[in-house]
Amino acid sequence: MTQVIIVGFVCFLCPGMFNALNGTGGGGQLDPTAGNNANTALYSTFVVFGILGGAIVNLCGVRWTIFGSGFTYALYSGSYIYLNHTGNSSFTIAAGAILGIGAGILWAAQGMIMVSYPREEEKGHYIAIFWIIFNLGGMLGGILPFAINYHSDSGSLNDGVYIAFVVLECLGAFLGLALAPPSKVTRDDGSSVVLVKYTNLGTETMEILKLFINPLMLGLLPMCFTSNFFYTYQFDNINGALFNVRTRGFNNIFYWGFQMVGSYAISFLLDYSGFGRKTRGYVAFGIVLVFFNAIWGGSLALHNKYPDGLPLNDRIDFKDSSRSSGPIILYIFCGVGDALYQTFAYWIIGALSNDNQLLARYIGFYKGMQSFGGAISWQLDAKNVAPKNQLVANWVLFALSVPSMLYVVWRIKEHSEDQDVRVKTDSDLEKYASDVAEDKTSAVAN
């Protein structure tokens, strides 16, 4: 639990701040073009390093990979200060590409810790705890632009907000050093979290290639692709297009805050011992299905009311309750839906195995394919694809992901076959061999 809490606070300070910045629309800029292009670069490199991230974490360990990755978030936030003063987006786009490398590795490490450390019957609870801490970062990141820009509405965030993001993200990077190696982590029942065999570069290369012929991973692919695709529409074409800058921060406080509610609520179902694991998967699938269709239906109604967005001098302010209440409530429900979707996806992956090296690869595949969808969606917005077409694309992609999502749930077993495999990893291999030899010597003596 300590490890999950620590990695939760790392993500509170790094991806949480990034989410808050992205959630303001266009990276907090009046013109979203630079932010959209930076996100395209980010998710393009994230595709590659998301897939490779599990192997990198397995070979290099969680502490130093998270430590190094954290600084790429600070570099990205800092690049907007340069953009504010020069209007040149090249540094921001390059920083986005570098962040994609760091984020792919960080999320592989985070996912491995979150879904392989808990026992099978408490994975939903641990995912929810992480999601609550992580989204506190998004809430804090929403408070910063709301407070700093409360009396100013230039349309873009000022340097002070970006500097605050940089400082917090650097703190998150250093916090990664507080994590323990998996070989030294035990659960509260005294069992070790190490469930894997010795690995090396050749093994990791072959195992990554096998992911692309694994029926379960191919079944997850549409769900992975869709899982971040909707951010562009929600951040840029709802929050960014309809609200003034202080209200965007205000909205993000609740968008990320209600993510905590959504994740915590569904965790009770995912860990409920009164139903079998597959039955819980079917019920959670039904909830996600209904919720997302309701979200896209509401988004269509809002789009029909404001088909071209709103001009800068007529953006909605949170104090104008006659105009703000409906769109804000919809945006909040978008946050709840995101939490339900992501928690369910992580739970499915965690239900496929307890092997932490295998799960690091699975999470890396999930994040890589997720980023593939994200790269396309941000570029669609950068190319000024009509908001309604983006909305339709989101709804269609979700519909297409439903059959394969159901297939993977159908393949879930009541207990993972590898749950009793306990073989030491790389750092403990020599000690493990020594212990075995000592046991044999003792047995012969007896």
Side-chain angles (χ1 to χ4, degrees), residues 30 153 240-244 306 308-316 323:
L30 175 60
D153 189 21
L242 300 182
F243 299 98
N244 61 25
Y306 302 108
D308 300 316
L310 286 168
L312 182 61
N313 60 1
D314 193 36
R315 297 287 173 90
I316 298 171
R323 291 204 302 162

Side-chain angles (χ1 to χ4, degrees), residues 18 42 45-46 69-70 72-76 94-104:
F18 169 81
L42 187 164
T45 54
F46 201 154
S69 298
T72 64
Y73 286 87
L75 177 68
Y76 178 75
I98 295 169
L99 174 55
I101 297 171

Side-chain angles (χ1 to χ4, degrees), residues 7 25 48 67 71 84 97 99-100 128 167 206 213 234 245 259 281 286 288 293 366 372 397 441:
V7 81
V48 177
F67 171 72
F71 288 109
N84 270 351
L99 174 55
V167 172
M206 291 303 301
I213 58 172
Q234 292 172 359
V245 68
Q259 289 234 7
V288 170
N293 279 302
Y366 172 68
F372 183 34
L397 284 170
T441 302

